């Protein structure tokens, strides 16, 4: 997941094109995308709140129904973040950027919180499942290269996506130089191939050896298949590159105008399709196109200077803290449920109270980490912070 921050464009606007933003739009601030970050993180929060590892509902049938209803929210949130990362980094990239400076900005932005929350997870969850091998893999951002979900999600369940992002950061300065020179047809072809690749990954996974590790909470997802379809960094580059191609098409005025209300409505049927699809396919594919179009539609609104609820001051503040919220919420849910409130809970009212408390605590911790950890380090070591 890309760390939050107000997205600003630094690319040059192309000549006007039907359905494209007006000239000079390259200077727009993409506050709506910042606001959307919070809802993506909130989707992952709800998904983890339904985890069978620490269920919210004592009644097994209600717990199963809740898990089924929220089953696609984790894949939705993470997939959105990957697409958004590719879009925003491409949108804000300059042709004069130096590779070393880019690496410094990105890793200074994400690594401090990654390690701070990782240390907290080690302290709080040490007696659960963490091994010293897991700690080394987490510290080196290599947990995603092991075809075993137990390793992928060890130490901190949300940390794996940062390890995937790290791979994208490493290759981004090299691929952006080549993508910039692509024509309209090549860019659209690249976008279509990336979407097709993302759809293909879970299909291929189901035709591969199952492996030996069953993923807790997803009994139909077996170790190697789960890793290949959902975690494998090279497979996730399809999502990230799709965001890049979309940004290039929007920046050059070659992406038709997209209706934000219609895109939002498209999530309903796509979510239903995902829910009734094979698990790994549902997590990866049906909602990807809606995520892409949502990023494009929100960006076009900001480019056209058409304010939305997503670009409001409150949503921008929540979006700026969403990276810390994304990292810490799992620990808050686990600690409240297992250690303090001793869930699961007997009534719906108690579950609502538990989730509301977990949300409030997670947001408070996220704001503190954003304000007193993330931003001071960024200001100290990343001189180009205002670009993002």
């Amino acid at each position: 997941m890309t760390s939050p921050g107000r997205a600003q464009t630094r690319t040059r606007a192309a000549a006007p094109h039907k359905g494209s933003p007006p000239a000079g739009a390259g200077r727009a601030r993409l506050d709506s995308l910042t606001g959307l970050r919070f809802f993506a993180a909130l989707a992952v929060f709800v998904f983890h709140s339904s985890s069978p590892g620490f269920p919210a509902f004592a009644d097994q049938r209600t717990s199963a129904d809740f898990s089924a209803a929220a089953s696609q929210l984790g894949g939705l949130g993470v997939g959105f973040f990957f697409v958004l990362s590719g879009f925003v980094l491409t949108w804000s990239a300059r042709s004069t950027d130096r590779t070393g400076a880019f690496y410094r900005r990105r890793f200074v932005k994400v690594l401090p919180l990654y390690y701070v929350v990782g240390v907290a997870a080690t302290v709080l969850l040490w007696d659960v499942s963490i091994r010293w091998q897991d700690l080394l893999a987490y510290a080196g951002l290599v947990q995603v290269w092991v075809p075993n979900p137990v390793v992928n999600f060890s130490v901190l369940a949300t940390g794996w996506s940062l390890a995937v992002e790290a791979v994208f950061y490493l290759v981004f300065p090299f691929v952006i130089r080549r993508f910039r020179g692509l024509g309209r047809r090549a860019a659209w072809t690249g976008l279509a191939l990336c979407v097709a690749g993302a759809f293909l990954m879970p299909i291929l996974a189901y035709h591969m050896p199952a492996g030996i590790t069953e993923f807790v909470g997803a009994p139909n997802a077996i170790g190697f298949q789960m890793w290949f379809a959902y975690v494998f960094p090279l497979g996730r580059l399809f999502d990230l590159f799709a965001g890049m191609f979309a940004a290039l098409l929007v920046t050059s005025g070659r992406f038709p105008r997209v209706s934000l209300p219609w895109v939002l409505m498209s999530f309903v049927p796509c979510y239903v399709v995902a829910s009734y699809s094979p698990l790994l396919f549902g997590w990866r594919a049906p909602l990807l196109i809606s995520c892409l179009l949502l990023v494009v539609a929100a960006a076009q609104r900001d480019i056209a200077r058409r304010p939305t609820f997503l670009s409001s001051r409150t949503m921008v503040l929540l979006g700026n803290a969403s990276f810390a919220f994304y990292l810490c919420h799992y620990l808050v849910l686990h600690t409240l449920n297992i250690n303090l409130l001793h869930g699961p809970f007997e009534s719906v009212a108690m579950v609502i109270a538990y989730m509301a408390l977990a949300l409030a605590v997670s947001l408070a911790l996220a704001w503190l980490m954003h304000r007193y950890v993330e931003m001071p380090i960024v200001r100290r070591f990343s001189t180009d912070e205002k670009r993002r």
Side-chain angles (χ1 to χ4, degrees):
M1 166 186 174
T2 298
S3 59
R6 292 189 177 185
Q8 287 183 297
T9 79
R10 295 290 181 174
T11 51
R12 293 174 297 175
H17 181 274
K18 184 177 180 180
S20 69
R27 295 184 294 272
R29 183 185 292 276
L30 305 183
D31 285 341
S32 292
L33 295 187
T34 303
L36 278 172
R37 297 178 194 270
F38 172 71
F39 287 107
L42 186 63
V44 180
F45 170 89
V46 176
F47 171 74
H48 283 143
S49 70
S50 69
S51 170
F54 42 94
F57 290 95
D59 181 76
Q60 292 186 357
R61 181 172 180 177
T62 305
S63 181
D65 290 343
F66 181 37
S67 294
S71 63
Q72 303 304 318
L73 290 177
L76 167 61
V78 170
F80 177 84
F81 279 128
F82 285 146
V83 169
L84 183 64
S85 180
F87 188 97
V88 171
L89 288 183
T90 302
W91 191 263
S92 60
R94 291 174 174 173
S95 59
T96 56
D97 279 344
R98 293 176 299 171
T99 300
F102 171 81
Y103 288 159
R104 185 188 70 249
R105 288 194 304 269
R106 296 318 310 156
F107 287 110
V108 161
K109 186 84 171 172
V110 302
L111 288 185
L113 288 187
Y114 174 82
Y115 288 123
V116 166
V117 183
V119 170
T122 303
V123 173
L124 292 171
L125 305 179
W126 180 258
D127 62 341
V128 177
S129 60
I130 298 177
R131 307 168 300 169
W132 67 268
Q133 300 98 317
D134 299 332
L135 289 174
L136 291 177
Y138 182 90
L141 294 162
V142 296
Q143 70 270 44
V144 290
W145 294 102
V146 180
N148 185 336
V150 172
V151 178
N152 304 150
F153 305 110
S154 65
V155 183
L156 182 65
T158 53
W160 72 274
S161 63
L162 270 296
V164 172
E165 287 270 3
V167 176
F168 178 56
Y169 294 161
L170 290 175
V171 303
F172 178 81
F174 304 100
V175 296
I176 186 61
R177 296 167 190 165
R178 288 155 180 79
F179 285 6
R180 276 198 187 104
L182 296 176
R184 177 182 63 85
R185 179 175 298 180
W188 277 110
T189 300
L191 179 58
L193 289 175
C194 286
V195 172
F199 273 68
L200 186 62
M201 291 300 292
I203 296 174
L204 290 176
Y206 279 122
H207 290 83
M208 291 183 170
I212 59 173
T213 305
E214 192 171 89
F215 180 49
V216 175
N220 295 321
I222 309 301
F224 185 88
Q225 295 174 349
M226 169 76 178
W227 170 78
F228 184 84
Y230 192 68
V231 176
F232 183 38
L234 299 185
R236 278 297 185 175
L237 289 179
F238 287 124
D239 308 61
L240 292 150
F241 287 173
M244 292 183 67
F245 284 119
L248 291 171
L249 289 166
V250 170
T251 302
S252 62
R254 294 163 175 164
F255 210 111
R257 179 72 63 189
V258 179
S259 167
L260 183 59
W262 280 105
V263 171
L264 291 173
M265 286 189 289
S266 76
F267 277 89
V268 176
C270 289
Y271 193 90
V272 173
V273 170
S275 298
Y276 286 94
S277 299
L279 183 70
L280 298 179
F281 186 83
W283 278 2
R284 189 69 198 276
L287 290 156
L288 176 62
I289 296 176
S290 290
C291 288
L292 268 169
L293 293 178
L294 177 59
V295 170
V296 170
Q300 289 176 337
R301 283 279 188 126
D302 288 336
I303 291 166
R305 307 295 197 270
R306 297 170 63 192
T308 67
F309 166 71
L310 295 169
S311 61
S312 66
R313 179 180 176 84
T314 298
M315 290 311 306
V316 169
L317 289 173
L318 289 171
N320 283 333
S322 63
F323 176 50
F325 173 76
Y326 172 80
L327 285 176
C328 76
H329 77 269
Y330 184 87
L331 288 181
V332 173
L333 285 166
H334 184 278
T335 302
L336 286 178
N337 191 310
I338 302 297
N339 302 115
L340 298 179
L341 302 180
H342 306 293
F345 309 100
E346 297 292 338
S347 68
V348 173
M350 293 177 66
V351 171
I352 293 175
Y354 153 66
M355 292 182 62
L357 178 61
L359 179 62
V361 172
S362 297
L363 286 173
L365 289 175
W367 182 84
L368 290 172
M369 288 191 294
H370 172 70
R371 176 67 177 82
Y372 295 106
V373 178
E374 180 184 357
M375 294 314 299
I377 294 176
V378 165
R379 293 190 186 103
R380 173 65 178 83
F381 295 103
S382 180
T383 56
D384 291 328
E385 164 60 14
K386 289 184 179 180
R387 295 183 50 215
R388 288 276 286 140

